[in-house]
Amino acid sequence: MDKRIKEDWQGRRAAVIGLGISNFALIKFLKDAGAEISARDQKTREELGERLEELKSLGVELVLGPDYLDGLDQYDVVLPSPGVPKHLPPLAEAASRGKLESEISLLFRYSPSPIYGITGSSGKTTTTSLAWEIMKASGLKAIIGGNIGTPLITELPRLTPEHKIVLELSSFQLENLEASPQGALITNIAENHLDVHGTMESYIAAKQNIYRYQKPQDFLVLNYDDPESKAMAAEAPGKVFFFSMENRVECGAYLRGDDLVYVQDGREEIIVKREELLLRGEHNAANFLAAAVLSCAAGASVEAAAQVARSFQGVPHRLEFVGERNGVLYYNDSIATTPQRTLAALKALSEPIILIAGGYDKQLSFAPLAEAVHKRVKHLVLLGAAAPKIRQAVLALGDFPLQVVDNLDQAVAAARLEAQPGDCILLSPACASYDQYADFTERGAHFRSLVQS
């Protein structure tokens, strides 16, 4: 481990809040650096299950249950996991005293490699994966991590200035972060996570940290078609690139007729024909343009971008084709935890759609989704805590064939009864999964197993 890291942490008292994947890696990192660690979670010992034994093997203090935030003022540093609300009084107090850190903030502090960060309300994971693939296809030493599920804090010893870190960043990871990547990308801005952030202003402010601390030599990639993100160009400290599906851009990438085009220093170069892009949907074409701009600005080639466009099949749970049964197509879009994501899925598919939606309510409006349901959906199957709210929004616009069921097993069975050859059964919930599942991946895997069985 780097001598500077050990000097920073030797003997310091650190409280790590939330015992998920990223913080397990963080605890190991801090332990190796010589910190004294208090690992805390509102879950009980029984609820932690197998994780408890791993924590015991690390030799850290455990504070579990309802009093997990007690006594934080006694610690030098407090490191909450991304999903822990920062407005909780003990955490807000720690932030006011400059004691709040995270796995991501430490990665930014100690990484010898340049970081290229991607955020947005939707499309982050696909865009991050595309950018990583394009950089690798160009022969660059690209490493992927962040919100995509791979904590990179334990990778620090092997990182060099030649590596390029491609980092998916959620609003929770950006919140309170006082550092920005050398290259930043915002896919779009729309209502999301208001159950945690409280207001759109707070949510947007968190997203803006991805460029707020950039330097003049850094760059920012923005969505020209999204007014909220386009307006951020005026605040960017460094160079600005745009991507667009609707307009020509002076510097970046855009859709020109049937061509996906890269523009640099006034020179336009066709990446691929639109029809050559393997991913379905206009939103995925936009994700590809965004990834191409970020990657090429970071040193990748247009030829590598073209290669990835023709071969990249997508990320699981993101409009993932699961299979065909009796002439009916099945798509798993469990990542659609907001109405906006479901709208994108509805636009991407041309077949008659039987939509399965509903889940945990993040306090978002379903009015735009209700309009799209009336236009694009043949039959609607609802489940979960938000089912009554979606049902009300859809029926407010007029009669519509829908039904409410208790769980996903019933939803798939109901959808099958309504489907005819040539139809598409689409799981695109427009809601988070926390009312019935640990996360969207568990929900998507259950849907996939139901279809395949």
Short mmCIF file of all heavy atoms in Angstrom, two decimals, residues 100-133:
data_model
loop_
_atom_site.label_atom_id
_atom_site.label_comp_id
_atom_site.label_asym_id
_atom_site.label_seq_id
_atom_site.Cartn_x
_atom_site.Cartn_y
_atom_site.Cartn_z
N LEU A 100 -17.20 13.85 6.62
CA LEU A 100 -17.88 12.87 5.78
C LEU A 100 -17.00 12.49 4.59
O LEU A 100 -16.56 13.36 3.83
CB LEU A 100 -19.22 13.43 5.31
CG LEU A 100 -20.41 12.46 5.25
CD1 LEU A 100 -20.66 11.83 6.59
CD2 LEU A 100 -21.64 13.19 4.76
N GLU A 101 -16.76 11.20 4.42
CA GLU A 101 -16.00 10.67 3.29
C GLU A 101 -16.76 9.49 2.70
O GLU A 101 -17.82 9.12 3.21
CB GLU A 101 -14.60 10.23 3.74
CG GLU A 101 -13.69 11.35 4.18
CD GLU A 101 -13.00 12.06 3.02
OE1 GLU A 101 -13.34 11.76 1.85
OE2 GLU A 101 -12.15 12.91 3.29
N SER A 102 -16.21 8.87 1.66
CA SER A 102 -16.83 7.70 1.04
C SER A 102 -15.78 6.93 0.26
O SER A 102 -14.66 7.41 0.04
CB SER A 102 -17.96 8.12 0.09
OG SER A 102 -17.41 8.83 -1.03
N GLU A 103 -16.14 5.73 -0.15
CA GLU A 103 -15.24 4.94 -0.99
C GLU A 103 -14.86 5.71 -2.24
O GLU A 103 -13.70 5.73 -2.67
CB GLU A 103 -15.91 3.62 -1.36
CG GLU A 103 -15.03 2.67 -2.16
CD GLU A 103 -15.48 2.50 -3.61
OE1 GLU A 103 -16.67 2.68 -3.88
OE2 GLU A 103 -14.63 2.17 -4.45
N ILE A 104 -15.85 6.40 -2.84
CA ILE A 104 -15.60 7.15 -4.07
C ILE A 104 -14.68 8.34 -3.81
O ILE A 104 -13.77 8.63 -4.59
CB ILE A 104 -16.93 7.60 -4.69
CG1 ILE A 104 -17.71 6.39 -5.21
CG2 ILE A 104 -16.69 8.61 -5.83
CD1 ILE A 104 -17.05 5.64 -6.35
N SER A 105 -14.90 9.07 -2.72
CA SER A 105 -14.06 10.25 -2.45
C SER A 105 -12.60 9.83 -2.23
O SER A 105 -11.67 10.54 -2.65
CB SER A 105 -14.59 11.02 -1.24
OG SER A 105 -14.36 10.33 -0.03
N LEU A 106 -12.39 8.66 -1.60
CA LEU A 106 -11.02 8.19 -1.38
C LEU A 106 -10.39 7.72 -2.70
O LEU A 106 -9.19 7.90 -2.92
CB LEU A 106 -11.01 7.06 -0.35
CG LEU A 106 -11.50 7.43 1.05
CD1 LEU A 106 -11.26 6.28 2.03
CD2 LEU A 106 -10.86 8.70 1.56
N LEU A 107 -11.21 7.13 -3.57
CA LEU A 107 -10.69 6.73 -4.89
C LEU A 107 -10.21 7.96 -5.65
O LEU A 107 -9.13 7.96 -6.26
CB LEU A 107 -11.78 6.00 -5.68
CG LEU A 107 -11.39 5.54 -7.09
CD1 LEU A 107 -10.31 4.47 -7.02
CD2 LEU A 107 -12.61 5.01 -7.84
N PHE A 108 -11.00 9.02 -5.62
CA PHE A 108 -10.60 10.26 -6.29
C PHE A 108 -9.31 10.83 -5.66
O PHE A 108 -8.44 11.33 -6.37
CB PHE A 108 -11.71 11.31 -6.19
CG PHE A 108 -12.70 11.25 -7.31
CD1 PHE A 108 -13.80 10.40 -7.25
CD2 PHE A 108 -12.55 12.04 -8.44
CE1 PHE A 108 -14.71 10.33 -8.29
CE2 PHE A 108 -13.46 11.99 -9.48
CZ PHE A 108 -14.55 11.13 -9.41
N ARG A 109 -9.18 10.74 -4.35
CA ARG A 109 -8.03 11.33 -3.67
C ARG A 109 -6.74 10.60 -3.99
O ARG A 109 -5.69 11.20 -4.19
CB ARG A 109 -8.26 11.32 -2.17
CG ARG A 109 -7.10 11.95 -1.37
CD ARG A 109 -7.37 11.89 0.11
NE ARG A 109 -8.65 12.48 0.45
CZ ARG A 109 -9.25 12.34 1.63
NH1 ARG A 109 -8.68 11.60 2.57
NH2 ARG A 109 -10.41 12.91 1.86
N TYR A 110 -6.80 9.26 -4.04
CA TYR A 110 -5.57 8.48 -4.11
C TYR A 110 -5.26 7.89 -5.48
O TYR A 110 -4.17 7.37 -5.69
CB TYR A 110 -5.63 7.34 -3.09
CG TYR A 110 -5.69 7.82 -1.66
CD1 TYR A 110 -6.74 7.42 -0.81
CD2 TYR A 110 -4.71 8.66 -1.13
CE1 TYR A 110 -6.80 7.84 0.51
CE2 TYR A 110 -4.76 9.09 0.19
CZ TYR A 110 -5.81 8.69 1.00
OH TYR A 110 -5.87 9.12 2.30
N SER A 111 -6.19 7.93 -6.42
CA SER A 111 -5.95 7.28 -7.71
C SER A 111 -4.85 7.98 -8.52
O SER A 111 -4.91 9.19 -8.74
CB SER A 111 -7.24 7.26 -8.55
OG SER A 111 -6.96 6.78 -9.85
N PRO A 112 -3.87 7.22 -9.00
CA PRO A 112 -2.88 7.79 -9.90
C PRO A 112 -3.37 7.84 -11.34
O PRO A 112 -2.73 8.44 -12.21
CB PRO A 112 -1.71 6.81 -9.77
CG PRO A 112 -2.38 5.49 -9.51
CD PRO A 112 -3.60 5.79 -8.69
N SER A 113 -4.52 7.21 -11.59
CA SER A 113 -5.07 7.11 -12.94
C SER A 113 -6.12 8.19 -13.18
O SER A 113 -6.85 8.56 -12.26
CB SER A 113 -5.73 5.74 -13.15
OG SER A 113 -4.91 4.71 -12.67
N PRO A 114 -6.23 8.68 -14.42
CA PRO A 114 -7.32 9.61 -14.72
C PRO A 114 -8.68 8.91 -14.61
O PRO A 114 -8.79 7.72 -14.90
CB PRO A 114 -7.04 10.04 -16.17
CG PRO A 114 -6.19 8.94 -16.74
CD PRO A 114 -5.38 8.41 -15.59
N ILE A 115 -9.67 9.66 -14.16
CA ILE A 115 -11.02 9.11 -13.97
C ILE A 115 -11.98 9.74 -14.96
O ILE A 115 -11.98 10.96 -15.16
CB ILE A 115 -11.50 9.35 -12.52
CG1 ILE A 115 -10.60 8.59 -11.54
CG2 ILE A 115 -12.96 8.91 -12.35
CD1 ILE A 115 -10.91 8.87 -10.07
N TYR A 116 -12.80 8.91 -15.57
CA TYR A 116 -13.84 9.37 -16.50
C TYR A 116 -15.18 8.92 -15.92
O TYR A 116 -15.47 7.73 -15.82
CB TYR A 116 -13.60 8.79 -17.89
CG TYR A 116 -12.25 9.21 -18.42
CD1 TYR A 116 -11.12 8.42 -18.20
CD2 TYR A 116 -12.08 10.43 -19.07
CE1 TYR A 116 -9.87 8.82 -18.63
CE2 TYR A 116 -10.83 10.84 -19.51
CZ TYR A 116 -9.73 10.03 -19.29
OH TYR A 116 -8.48 10.45 -19.71
N GLY A 117 -15.99 9.89 -15.47
CA GLY A 117 -17.20 9.59 -14.74
C GLY A 117 -18.46 9.81 -15.55
O GLY A 117 -18.56 10.78 -16.31
N ILE A 118 -19.42 8.92 -15.38
CA ILE A 118 -20.70 9.00 -16.09
C ILE A 118 -21.83 9.01 -15.08
O ILE A 118 -21.89 8.16 -14.18
CB ILE A 118 -20.87 7.79 -17.05
CG1 ILE A 118 -19.85 7.86 -18.19
CG2 ILE A 118 -22.28 7.76 -17.64
CD1 ILE A 118 -18.82 6.81 -18.14
N THR A 119 -22.74 9.97 -15.21
CA THR A 119 -23.95 10.00 -14.39
C THR A 119 -25.13 10.38 -15.26
O THR A 119 -25.00 10.62 -16.45
CB THR A 119 -23.78 10.97 -13.20
OG1 THR A 119 -24.81 10.71 -12.25
CG2 THR A 119 -23.85 12.43 -13.63
N GLY A 120 -26.31 10.45 -14.65
CA GLY A 120 -27.54 10.77 -15.37
C GLY A 120 -28.71 10.07 -14.72
O GLY A 120 -28.53 9.18 -13.87
N SER A 121 -29.90 10.44 -15.12
CA SER A 121 -31.09 9.82 -14.53
C SER A 121 -31.37 8.45 -15.12
O SER A 121 -31.98 7.60 -14.49
CB SER A 121 -32.30 10.74 -14.73
OG SER A 121 -32.08 11.98 -14.09
N SER A 122 -30.93 8.22 -16.35
CA SER A 122 -31.07 6.90 -16.97
C SER A 122 -29.95 6.73 -17.99
O SER A 122 -29.37 7.69 -18.47
CB SER A 122 -32.43 6.75 -17.65
OG SER A 122 -32.61 7.74 -18.64
N GLY A 123 -29.64 5.48 -18.29
CA GLY A 123 -28.62 5.17 -19.29
C GLY A 123 -27.20 5.09 -18.77
O GLY A 123 -26.27 4.85 -19.55
N LYS A 124 -27.00 5.28 -17.46
CA LYS A 124 -25.63 5.33 -16.92
C LYS A 124 -24.86 4.03 -17.17
O LYS A 124 -23.72 4.06 -17.62
CB LYS A 124 -25.65 5.59 -15.41
CG LYS A 124 -26.15 6.94 -14.98
CD LYS A 124 -25.96 7.17 -13.49
CE LYS A 124 -26.76 6.21 -12.64
NZ LYS A 124 -28.22 6.40 -12.77
N THR A 125 -25.48 2.91 -16.82
CA THR A 125 -24.75 1.64 -16.87
C THR A 125 -24.43 1.25 -18.31
O THR A 125 -23.31 0.82 -18.61
CB THR A 125 -25.55 0.53 -16.18
OG1 THR A 125 -25.77 0.89 -14.82
CG2 THR A 125 -24.81 -0.79 -16.23
N THR A 126 -25.40 1.39 -19.21
CA THR A 126 -25.15 1.06 -20.61
C THR A 126 -24.07 1.96 -21.19
O THR A 126 -23.15 1.50 -21.87
CB THR A 126 -26.45 1.19 -21.43
OG1 THR A 126 -27.40 0.23 -20.96
CG2 THR A 126 -26.19 0.94 -22.91
N THR A 127 -24.15 3.26 -20.90
CA THR A 127 -23.15 4.21 -21.42
C THR A 127 -21.78 3.93 -20.84
O THR A 127 -20.76 3.96 -21.56
CB THR A 127 -23.58 5.65 -21.10
OG1 THR A 127 -24.89 5.89 -21.63
CG2 THR A 127 -22.61 6.65 -21.69
N THR A 128 -21.72 3.63 -19.54
CA THR A 128 -20.44 3.31 -18.90
C THR A 128 -19.84 2.06 -19.52
O THR A 128 -18.63 2.01 -19.83
CB THR A 128 -20.63 3.11 -17.39
OG1 THR A 128 -21.19 4.29 -16.82
CG2 THR A 128 -19.31 2.81 -16.70
N SER A 129 -20.67 1.04 -19.72
CA SER A 129 -20.19 -0.22 -20.31
C SER A 129 -19.70 -0.01 -21.74
O SER A 129 -18.66 -0.56 -22.13
CB SER A 129 -21.30 -1.27 -20.27
OG SER A 129 -21.73 -1.51 -18.95
N LEU A 130 -20.43 0.78 -22.50
CA LEU A 130 -20.01 1.08 -23.87
C LEU A 130 -18.67 1.82 -23.90
O LEU A 130 -17.78 1.49 -24.69
CB LEU A 130 -21.08 1.93 -24.58
CG LEU A 130 -22.32 1.19 -25.09
CD1 LEU A 130 -23.45 2.17 -25.39
CD2 LEU A 130 -21.98 0.39 -26.35
N ALA A 131 -18.52 2.84 -23.05
CA ALA A 131 -17.28 3.61 -23.01
C ALA A 131 -16.10 2.72 -22.64
O ALA A 131 -15.01 2.81 -23.24
CB ALA A 131 -17.41 4.75 -22.00
N TRP A 132 -16.31 1.84 -21.68
CA TRP A 132 -15.26 0.90 -21.26
C TRP A 132 -14.87 -0.02 -22.42
O TRP A 132 -13.67 -0.23 -22.69
CB TRP A 132 -15.78 0.10 -20.07
CG TRP A 132 -14.87 -0.96 -19.54
CD1 TRP A 132 -13.57 -0.81 -19.12
CD2 TRP A 132 -15.20 -2.34 -19.34
NE1 TRP A 132 -13.07 -2.01 -18.67
CE2 TRP A 132 -14.05 -2.97 -18.79
CE3 TRP A 132 -16.34 -3.10 -19.55
CZ2 TRP A 132 -14.02 -4.33 -18.47
CZ3 TRP A 132 -16.33 -4.45 -19.22
CH2 TRP A 132 -15.18 -5.05 -18.70
N GLU A 133 -15.87 -0.55 -23.13
CA GLU A 133 -15.60 -1.44 -24.25
C GLU A 133 -14.86 -0.71 -25.37
O GLU A 133 -13.94 -1.27 -26.00
CB GLU A 133 -16.91 -2.04 -24.79
CG GLU A 133 -17.62 -2.99 -23.82
CD GLU A 133 -16.90 -4.32 -23.66
OE1 GLU A 133 -15.92 -4.58 -24.40
OE2 GLU A 133 -17.31 -5.09 -22.78
#
